[in-house]
Structures are given as structure tokens and as C-alpha cells.
Amino acid sequence: MNPDIIELTGMLIIMVFIIAVVQWLLLRFTHWSIALGATAFIAIVIAGLYVSLSNATPNGGSNGPDISEYVTPITVVFTSLLFGFFIVAYFSKTQLPKNVWLFLGGFIVLFSIGRYVYQCIDSAIVYQENFSSCEIQLINKSGNNQIREIAFNNSVNSLTCSISPNDNEQPYPVIPRDTDRLIFTCYSDKTGMFRQDFPFDYNWSKEKEGKTIGLCFWLREKVVLPVKIVLNPDNKVDLYINNKVVQQYQLSEPNVSTN
């Protein structure tokens, strides 16, 4: 099991026992609704502290976490404390209305479903805004494996999709939208690893609307023309868009100064 999960589980157990004391005092001297409200408030505070610390920077500031980052911690912490609340209520012989059990159980289920749906929609929006579906073909006629990786890069937002000539699997059919650089990572015995990048005109790809993304019927993926990269001898590379050569690249090793 992941050590982080083990550590987090241990912290949750300790936290449940500590908060159980507060819950018992509130159940003993106040109304159960106050104890339940306090449990929810404590869960929000603890989850907020956890997210803030997770996004803290070395200078003491914060990266400004998105509100979606609070959903999972609040769900986990509240569920854990709620479990402790029911145990405390049982042993303290505090009678809870049956509707409370049904309401809280239904709330947790609906909250979990809502979180899952939100994450699916958020992922679909991120994909639709940043990536284009593209059929990519890589053909190696060079007879060597000097080129280790080829990356489609959008230098504005630093998004990159990479393919490897040494992989037996087909390249993943997606590139960043508005790709403007094609980056080659190479290796030679003389210079070791080196990189060369060349301009890439995204307009060659002729982006258009494609099919809907999953169940998000209002979102359509972006589709571009198929790309084929042919690695030729003498470190020459041909770039095809829709089976037409649009660019030829010549790779060259960097100069190595000798003393």
C-alpha cells in the first residue's frame, strides 16, 4: 500500500478520536443538531487547512487553489468525522431521528456523484480547450535510433505531446491546440543528448469541429488533419499533413569545442 495513504489513514484515525471528545461533550450538554453542525464546520476547517498547506509556497504564500480542490478533502474528512459522530452517539445513548441517517447518507452519496460528474465535465472542458484529436503516423527509414523523442509543443502555455520512434505502440492521437514548435530530442555518442526545435504552423492542420466529448453533448472535440512524420537517412525528417509534404527538417549535432 502507498505510504502516503497509510500515513493519511493514521492521521484520520487520530483526528476522529480527538474530535470524538468534542462531539461527546456537545452531545452531552447541547442538542445533537449542534454537535452535527460543529462536526461539519470542523471538517471544513480541517480540509481547508490541508488544501492550503498542500498549495503553500516556500515564501509562505499560496498558489491560490481552485475551489474544486476542496471537494475531495471535505468529503473524506466529513465522512470520517461523521462515522465517529455516529459511534459517539451510539455509546452515549443519544437518540438520533431516523431521518437524520437517511438525509446524511443520501447527502454523501449525492455529493460523491456530483463530485464525479464535476470532474468528468472539468476534464472534458480542459481537453476541448487545449488539445486536438489528430491521427499521427511515425515511419522510421533512417536505420538508426538517434532520435529518441518527438514533441508537439505549444510554447505559449507549455503544453506538450510526445511520441517515441522506439515505441512499438501507435502514437497517442492528440496534439496541443495551436502547436507552434516541433521538438526533436536526439542522442549521439559524440555529444550525448541534445535537442533541436523547429517552427510548426498549426494552420496547416485545418482545425474543425469533431464528435461530442463523452456525455458532454454541448462540447465537441477539435479535430485536425492526419500527421505523418518520416525519419529519413542523414538526419532528414519529412513532415506530412494529410499525406502531403509541408515541411522538411535537417537535424544537426551541436558543435563540440575541443581544447
Side-chain angles (χ1 to χ4, degrees):
M1 186 179 290
N2 191 316
D4 292 337
I5 296 178
I6 296 176
E7 182 179 356
L8 181 60
T9 303
M11 292 174 60
L12 284 173
I13 293 174
I14 295 173
M15 179 180 62
V16 168
F17 276 104
I18 294 175
I19 303 302
V21 177
V22 178
Q23 292 170 333
W24 181 83
L25 290 173
L26 291 174
L27 285 171
R28 179 70 176 78
F29 298 105
T30 66
H31 194 260
W32 64 265
S33 60
I34 297 177
L36 183 59
T39 299
F41 177 76
I42 293 172
I44 294 173
V45 171
I46 293 175
L49 289 173
Y50 170 80
V51 174
S52 298
L53 290 174
S54 299
N55 290 272
T57 54
N59 61 3
S62 173
N63 292 328
D66 188 83
I67 192 170
S68 61
E69 294 189 38
Y70 291 89
V71 175
T72 298
I74 289 177
T75 304
V76 173
V77 175
F78 180 64
T79 303
S80 301
L81 296 185
L82 191 61
F83 178 74
F85 174 80
F86 286 141
I87 292 178
V88 171
Y90 174 79
F91 283 106
S92 63
K93 302 186 184 306
T94 302
Q95 295 295 324
L96 298 177
K98 293 182 179 179
N99 291 338
V100 173
W101 298 79
L102 295 175
F103 172 77
L104 292 175
F107 175 78
I108 292 175
V109 171
L110 290 176
F111 194 79
S112 300
I113 294 175
R115 169 181 168 273
Y116 174 78
V117 172
Y118 173 84
Q119 288 182 329
C120 289
I121 294 175
D122 185 59
S123 298
I125 291 175
V126 170
Y127 174 81
Q128 193 261 355
E129 291 179 347
N130 295 287
F131 297 96
S132 296
S133 177
C134 177
E135 180 184 340
I136 303 174
Q137 185 179 8
L138 181 62
I139 300 176
N140 191 352
K141 296 182 179 179
S142 64
N144 60 60
N145 58 351
Q146 183 181 35
I147 300 176
R148 300 297 174 85
E149 184 180 79
I150 304 170
F152 296 88
N153 174 255
N154 181 330
S155 61
V156 176
N157 56 24
S158 300
L159 289 176
T160 299
C161 292
S162 303
I163 58 178
S164 173
N166 299 320
D167 287 345
N168 295 325
E169 299 180 358
Q170 290 293 321
Y172 193 74
V174 65
I175 65 172
R177 293 186 66 193
D178 298 318
T179 291
D180 59 0
R181 309 298 298 176
L182 196 61
I183 303 173
F184 296 86
T185 302
C186 310
Y187 174 84
S188 72
D189 295 333
K190 184 187 299 183
T191 61
M193 299 293 293
F194 65 94
R195 294 202 328 168
Q196 285 189 285
D197 64 282
F198 300 92
F200 181 96
D201 190 347
Y202 187 74
N203 292 324
W204 293 333
S205 305
K206 300 188 184 301
E207 179 185 281
K208 63 180 182 180
E209 298 286 337
K211 62 183 181 179
T212 57
I213 303 176
L215 298 177
C216 301
F217 60 88
W218 65 95
L219 295 176
R220 290 188 173 274
E221 66 179 359
K222 306 300 181 181
V223 180
V224 295
L225 294 174
V227 172
K228 180 168 65 175
I229 299 175
V230 180
L231 309 180
N232 296 306
D234 300 323
N235 293 327
K236 295 180 179 179
V237 180
D238 292 336
L239 175 65
Y240 289 77
I241 303 289
N242 202 25
N243 286 323
K244 294 180 181 179
V245 179
V246 296
Q247 190 72 34
Q248 293 181 318
Y249 305 110
Q250 176 65 60
L251 302 178
S252 58
E253 297 182 21
N255 294 327
V256 179
S257 58
T258 56
N259 296 325

